[in-house]
Amino acid sequence: MTNTHSAFLKEMGITEWTSRDVVQATALVTEQTNAQASPEVAQSTPRASHGMWWFFGSEPQGDAQILFQNMIRVLGLAKNEWAWKNPSQSLSQLSAPEMPVVAIAFGGPTAQKITGERDPLPQLRETVLALNTGNEEEIPVIASFELNQVLAKPSDKALLWQDMLLARSVLQNS
């Protein structure tokens, strides 16, 4: 993880854990890359997109917006890799782009509405749900806390981050 990502995690109150194996592997890859490529070539290589993130819920305002922007930065998402979607619109009109998509539902009612599930948020979290579009394509959904709720109860920030990491894992494996 870059120093910028580490700084944002620290700002969000999230302790960063790194496996010793990952640190050793990263150091080895960095050494090999530096030995093979010049700095000019490494800087000009475009970053590959892993997919699209759809966020469902009310678009954050104030401190919640700052928290959301920090999450986007730490996840390393470019502006064209994420979008806010309205859970009130007809979900059958949503069509997945050519790249993989993962949806994040902020709040229990939003998660219930877009997935058709009836369980409360604690039972929906840490599970990969499916977007209820009525189409054949299945878009994975991760249910998480509303951002304002996380601001009111900071201990939930770590759980929110776990949900984002689950979403990233789902996206990378699709």
Side-chain angles (χ1 to χ4, degrees):
M1 222 175 256
T2 66
N3 289 337
T4 306
H5 291 139
S6 297
F8 286 118
L9 285 173
K10 187 175 181 180
E11 184 178 323
M12 292 171 61
I14 298 171
T15 304
E16 181 182 339
W17 291 80
T18 307
S19 168
R20 291 181 185 155
D21 298 335
V22 171
V23 171
Q24 291 170 352
T26 304
L28 181 62
V29 168
T30 303
E31 288 175 26
Q32 290 173 349
T33 303
N34 289 341
Q36 294 174 356
S38 67
E40 297 83 17
V41 173
Q43 290 176 356
S44 66
T45 306
R47 188 176 67 80
S49 174
H50 294 291
M52 185 73 179
W53 294 61
W54 288 350
F55 295 101
F56 286 87
S58 57
E59 204 162 335
Q61 304 293 320
D63 289 341
Q65 184 178 19
I66 293 169
L67 174 63
F68 178 74
Q69 289 170 345
N70 286 340
M71 286 178 8
I72 293 297
R73 256 185 251 131
V74 171
L75 288 167
L77 300 179
K79 179 64 179 153
N80 63 342
E81 294 176 322
W82 62 272
W84 278 101
K85 300 290 182 181
N86 187 347
S88 300
Q89 81 181 60
S90 174
L91 297 177
S92 62
Q93 295 176 354
L94 290 175
S95 62
E98 295 299 316
M99 64 179 76
V101 175
V102 67
I104 307 294
F106 288 119
T110 300
Q112 291 167 344
K113 182 173 179 85
I114 68 172
T115 63
E117 298 286 337
R118 295 184 181 191
D119 294 330
L121 181 62
Q123 280 76 38
L124 296 177
R125 282 193 62 253
E126 299 181 14
T127 306
V128 180
L129 308 166
L131 189 65
N132 187 15
T133 61
N135 301 332
E136 290 182 18
E137 61 186 332
E138 287 196 5
I139 298 174
V141 176
I142 307 299
S144 192
F145 300 101
E146 290 184 37
L147 296 175
N148 286 324
Q149 176 185 347
V150 172
L151 291 172
K153 189 176 176 192
S155 61
D156 287 344
K157 279 184 183 178
L159 299 175
L160 172 67
W161 185 243
Q162 285 178 346
D163 296 337
M164 295 302 112
L165 294 178
L166 174 60
R168 183 166 59 185
S169 173
V170 166
L171 194 59
Q172 288 173 345
N173 292 322
S174 58

